[in-house]
Each structure stands twice: as C-alpha cells, then as structure tokens.
Amino acid sequence: MLKRNGIIIKIDQSWTIGKGTQKLVRESNGLDYDIGNEVYIISFAGFKSLITVQDKKTGLRFDIKPSNLGKLISK
C-alpha cells in the first residue's frame, strides 16, 4: 500500500505534479511541448515503487515515484 501525505494512493485517482516533475518528464522523453500538472493514476509497477500515470492534458503516460505526487484532486 502506498501513501502520500497520509492519503492512500489508488488507481483512477487524480493528483497534481509539480513544475520540476513536468520539466523532468519533458526532458527525459525529448518532448517539445508542455505537459499538464494533473495526472490520473493508471497502475503500479516495480513492487509499487513506481506509479504509471497519464497526463490529463496530453494523454502521455509515464512513470513517477510517489514522492512526485502533489495533492489529491479527486478520488
């Protein structure tokens, strides 16, 4: 079970990500466009140490650590 700020992270939740995470994802994937700051939780990978998320704005899927999540938007 993963938690962030005392909230259990579940599939289909919406969370925010910070500008630093957005920049890192953009640079590591060689993107020439900006991604949004809201993501959906899609799945858990690597014994739940990584989370696969989908950007609400562009539909791009990528993996992040639980520490990259900001605030829970909706359950």
Side-chain angles (χ1 to χ4, degrees):
M1 173 173 35
L2 295 175
K3 284 188 177 184
R4 175 76 177 145
N5 297 332
I7 301 169
I8 297 173
I9 301 170
K10 298 177 185 175
I11 294 175
D12 293 330
Q13 288 177 332
S14 295
W15 287 77
T16 61
I17 57 173
K19 290 192 182 287
T21 302
Q22 292 171 320
K23 181 179 178 183
L24 181 62
V25 169
R26 192 173 59 245
E27 290 174 354
S28 64
N29 288 294
L31 304 176
D32 59 352
Y33 56 87
D34 290 334
I35 63 170
N37 69 334
E38 294 182 17
V39 295
Y40 293 113
I41 306 294
I42 301 295
S43 65
F44 299 101
F47 298 104
K48 298 188 178 183
S49 62
L50 287 176
I51 302 170
T52 302
V53 297
Q54 182 174 0
D55 177 33
K56 283 186 175 183
K57 180 179 174 183
T58 64
L60 179 70
R61 290 184 179 198
F62 52 93
D63 293 333
I64 61 174
K65 295 179 182 178
S67 60
N68 295 121
L69 294 175
K71 295 182 180 181
L72 177 65
I73 297 172
S74 66
K75 297 180 182 184

